[in-house]
Amino acid sequence: MLSIKNLKAEIEGKNILNGINLEVKAGEVHAIMGPNGAGKSTLSSVLAGRTEYQVTDGSVSYFGKNLLEMSPEDRAREGVFLAFQYPVEIPGVSTVNFLRTAVNEKRKYLGLEPMEATDFLKMMREKMELVEMDKSLTSRSLNEGFSGGEKKRNEVFQMAMLEPKLTILDETDSGLDIDALRLVSNGVNKLRNKDNAFIVITHYQRLLDYIVPDFVHVLYKGRIVKSGDKELAKELEVKGYDWIKQEVEAAQ
Amino acid sequence: MTEEVNIIDKVTQQEYKYGFTTDIEMDTAPKGLSEDIVRFISAKKKEPEWMLEWRLKAYRHWLKLEEPHWQNFSYPKLNYQDIIFYAAPKEKIKLDSLDQVDPELLKTFEKLGISLTEQKRLTGVAVDAVFDSVSIATTFKEQLKEKGVIFCAISEAVHEHPELIKKYLGSVVPYTDNYFAALNAAVFSDGSFVYIPKGVRCPMELSTYFRINAENTGQFERTLIVADDASYVSYLEGCTAPMRDENQLHAAVVELVAHEKSEIKYSTVQNWYPGDKEGKGGIYNFVTKRGSCEGAYSKISWTQVETGSAITWKYPSCILKGDHSVGEFFSVAVTNNYQVADTGTKMIHIGKNSKSRVVSKGISAGHAHNSYRGLVKVNKNAENSRNHTQCDSMLIGNRSGAHTFPYIEINNKSSQVEHEASTSKIGEDQIFYCNQRGIGTEEAIGLIVNGFCKEVLNQLPMEFAVEAQKLLAVSLEGSVG
């Protein structure tokens, strides 16, 4: 599905990603961990198409297409979904209205007719139940006045509605209490299937107790320096990142 | 969900789509303004002597005035000798039915989405269509007549209802009021007249559609709406003009009179040609709109969505004479490219316990400047009167400007006046968030802007709210990137 080769990126002349290699296949969950400043969020931004970041080298192929050449909206319409670490507020625009626009823009791109209002409402109800989303939230302005947990749940709800192929969860666990974390993770787990894939970016192992990854990668200084299975995450939880840093320095 | 009609996604990528011209034989006055022209217009309308006299007084007064230039923008001194003050489609016969209207004209209004053929209209909206200087047709007249509602061209009302015209014309905006009001009084050619009798709730929305077509022509319409005791009317005006390189002047006057316990809701969707991307051409929209809440418990509510015109300059106001009277002003003004808006309202509290509410949303993109200018004045005897003003500005890009000029004069200790203001910028983060959900940048701006204006758009009658939302998105096309 996704093939990242030697990806390098910078912002304002500062190198952040220094040659990332990553293969993601359908049905897989990849966790990307690493200390602060390792480049985790930069990776998600580059994949989603934020223009502040300049890709200086490497390639990203998504279902055989050059992802880096696509506009952010086309990436989304092709099935790339980023669950934001800090979802923005849009006053006066309800979640319903926002999602209806998003769903229909995607359909238009795929050459489909806009969704009938009744079908759309039916789909909303189903997905709301699936991710245990509070009904009152969808008629309120998008994320306006939502708590941290509500915002993250809204991200998962949007993901459910847009049915992406590749989802990037960018520190979705940050700022969540344990109950919210469980709710969000349950939602994600229900949406996992053999046709989609997830990149879970997180600082802590905690989230991975709920969303169990197939692979764990450690990102440090803009490079994946270690890969393993879920046991690696547990090891990191116990030992911290310092030993990895030392390994990397030693190798150099 | 029903009110959540999302039309943004249906908005096609288009520029000003009303810019076509209609090729039709016109009867025009010679260029320029003089006493002879005023007499010419009056004669064209076969007006009674009293009407001509009023026009001449206004004209003579106008001669003594100076063109105003105190506002927050500049415009070249207008050459009034270069403007045609009267232009009408050539039409000899008196119209009895729509069949006699020139098909070219009917086509023009069809193109604008205004069907004058009554049976074709799905919604119960009565329309008065004004083309350059004359009213072309008024629909649903008969049905309205049954209720005693008068809805006709003002030129017709001069003949048919002289007692009402004599009583109310100029009663809220006298010709001495300001430079453009004086000019309008001298040369106004047509517009709508509405009278709602006592206790009647007008059974349908009333609407006037203004179209400037001819070149070098000014449009000077005059609208007068009188709501008698305990009556109700909702009225909407819309307007468009062809794309032309020169600026055209539109100097209208609107007067509203609300008697005891009556309510007038006046909505405007203004989409005059705004000029091109470099700021060439476009309409100068210099308008005086004022309503008087004459009676106790009367209410006047202005709602305006201003997206067109090179310059929009107007302050729809309420004079709250009646005790417990209510004035409202809901405004969205969008300026893009080199457009300018200096708009707002005046709420004059005279009656006891009078209340007013102002919600203004200004959106500025490109090189445009958007000013809110508003006056809240509370007179000595207006005990316990209240005002709440909320003024929000949104900027798109780095070259546009938003300005707020609130004036508050309070002469009474028991009154309460509140003013809130905010300025925000459409954030890159908001746009990126929308992009990441598959929503393109233009649509994203439409969505964000519509959300920003929601409070005001909700005030519009449903059919027009949809139209207005589309318009907002179209007006801001190309405002980023």
Side-chain angles (χ1 to χ4, degrees), chain B residues 184-203:
Chain B
N184 175 287
V187 303
F188 80 92
S189 36
D190 227 326
S192 299
F193 173 70
V194 175
Y195 174 79
I196 315 290
K198 278 185 184 152
V200 171
R201 192 179 166 89
C202 187

Side-chain angles (χ1 to χ4, degrees), chain A residues 194-208:
Chain A
K194 63 177 175 36
D195 297 318
N196 61 20
F198 290 80
I199 295 175
V200 182
I201 291 172
T202 180
H203 197 66
Y204 300 105
Q205 188 264 341
R206 193 174 65 155
L207 176 68
L208 305 179

